[in-house]
């Protein structure tokens, strides 16, 4: 079983690094990446997920509020 995963981070470098790590783990299926929690919120409502790589400090909606 593969873990359905998204990445939510406002730093492009962090997203890139997490994408590379996720690609190396066959049990992870990366569905999407988002640079802010507002965009991720609508995706999460319509797609079941097992795992979220979530930045805490982001503008507009921080990671803890999103969670």
């Amino acid at each position: 079983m593969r873990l359905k995963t998204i990445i939510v981070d406002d730093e492009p470098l962090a997203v890139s690094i997490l994408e590379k790590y996720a690609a190396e783990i066959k049990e992870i299926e990366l569905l999407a990446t988002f640079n802010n929690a507002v965009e991720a919120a609508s995706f999460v409502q319509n797609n079941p997920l097992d795992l979220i790589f979530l930045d805490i400090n982001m503008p507009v909606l921080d990671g803890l509020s999103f969670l």
Side-chain angles (χ1 to χ4, degrees):
M1 179 179 117
R2 297 183 73 185
L3 297 173
K4 295 181 187 294
T5 307
I6 63 170
I7 297 170
V8 184
D9 198 316
D10 63 325
E11 297 180 32
L13 181 58
V15 171
S16 177
I17 291 169
L18 287 169
E19 284 177 319
K20 289 178 185 177
Y21 285 138
E24 294 177 8
I25 302 171
K26 66 179 181 176
E27 291 85 4
I28 290 181
E29 178 183 357
L30 184 59
L31 300 179
T33 62
F34 300 93
N35 61 7
N36 67 69
V38 175
E39 291 177 4
S42 62
F43 183 87
V44 169
Q45 290 178 1
N46 298 313
N47 297 280
L49 297 174
D50 300 304
L51 179 64
I52 300 174
F53 292 100
L54 179 61
D55 186 14
I56 299 300
N57 295 316
M58 293 185 288
V60 183
L61 181 62
D62 65 74
L64 292 177
S65 297
F66 169 80
L67 189 59

